[in-house]
Amino acid sequence: MILPFLVGAGSGLSLIVAIGAQNAFVLRQGIRREHVLPVVLICGLTDALLELLGVAGIGYVVERAPVVLEIVRWGGVVFLLWYAWSAVRRALRPEVLVAGEGSGGSLKRTILACLAITYLNPHVYLDTMVLMGSIGNAQGDPERWWFVAGGALASLAWFFLIGYGARALTRFFATPRSWRILDGVVAATMLVIAARLAFGGVGV
């Protein structure tokens, strides 16, 4: 069962190891050392859940529900634009954080932002439920469940890596200029993804 497990891990990593709204959010929380554990758990466990549903056959339904994906699509565009604007405002008024200290952002607000970034991106469903589901089901039984296990573990490992690994960058982000650069990158990332969602659609 090692091969389907490794295929699942490799497939999962190939989809998430790229700069995106979710990764940028986790990275920023990691650098701030603010509510890192709940953020990485939400992101990692969400991937695992959606991959499981995809292999269980729900991906077939999602693939044929364009209306639902369109609603999620435009909701994602609005949220990403708002988050990009928030990052621009932070870049104009950068702050310096001491290692181990957060900015005082509430856990509830952080979790809501993380959930929105995670679930308002239709590509999350296409990548995990449709694509990973299709690849997983091609493995047959019981190998497809080992495939899911590999993909789930890879997602959790990746988000823990960027969430807690970001702490190594704390010293670099001890100046306002560094935070200005980070928030500028975050804003640009959100705008690019919002534009792709708005003008590129969500085709499989």
Side-chain angles (χ1 to χ4, degrees):
M1 304 304 174
I2 296 298
L3 182 58
F5 180 88
L6 294 177
V7 171
S11 299
L13 287 175
S14 69
L15 294 174
I16 62 175
V17 180
I19 186 65
Q22 196 178 48
N23 286 342
F25 182 81
V26 175
L27 181 64
R28 193 173 198 282
Q29 292 300 124
I31 293 172
R32 298 168 73 92
R33 301 192 181 187
E34 188 175 83
H35 311 308
V36 180
L37 182 59
V39 166
V40 298
L41 286 177
I42 288 172
C43 295
L45 293 178
T46 292
D47 276 6
L49 173 63
L50 295 180
E51 289 168 12
L52 177 62
L53 292 175
V55 169
I58 304 299
Y60 180 85
V61 177
V62 173
E63 188 177 8
R64 286 156 179 77
V67 174
V68 174
L69 287 179
E70 280 297 303
I71 294 174
V72 174
R73 171 191 175 190
W74 289 108
V77 169
V78 171
F79 179 80
L80 289 171
L81 289 175
W82 173 83
Y83 200 86
W85 171 240
S86 298
V88 169
R89 286 170 46 187
R90 289 195 302 265
L92 296 176
R93 296 177 301 177
E95 56 192 304
V96 181
L97 298 180
V98 178
E101 293 184 0
S103 64
S106 70
L107 175 61
K108 179 181 178 180
R109 183 175 180 180
T110 299
I111 288 177
L112 289 176
C114 185
L115 289 173
I117 285 176
T118 300
Y119 287 98
L120 288 180
N121 182 358
H123 289 290
V124 168
Y125 302 99
L126 296 176
D127 287 345
T128 56
M129 298 180 74
V130 177
L131 183 55
M132 289 289 287
S134 298
I135 298 173
N137 280 313
Q139 309 299 312
D141 264 325
E143 287 81 2
R144 61 175 177 162
W145 305 116
W146 286 98
F147 176 91
V148 171
L153 183 60
S155 292
L156 281 168
W158 171 252
F159 287 117
F160 268 93
L161 176 64
I162 62 175
Y164 287 98
R167 294 185 176 187
L169 300 174
T170 301
R171 181 173 298 180
F172 174 76
F173 285 95
T175 65
R177 182 171 180 271
S178 299
W179 281 100
R180 182 175 285 118
I181 292 173
L182 175 64
D183 281 318
V185 171
V186 170
T189 300
M190 302 300 174
L191 287 174
V192 169
I193 296 174
R196 288 179 59 188
L197 285 179
F199 302 110
V202 294
V204 178

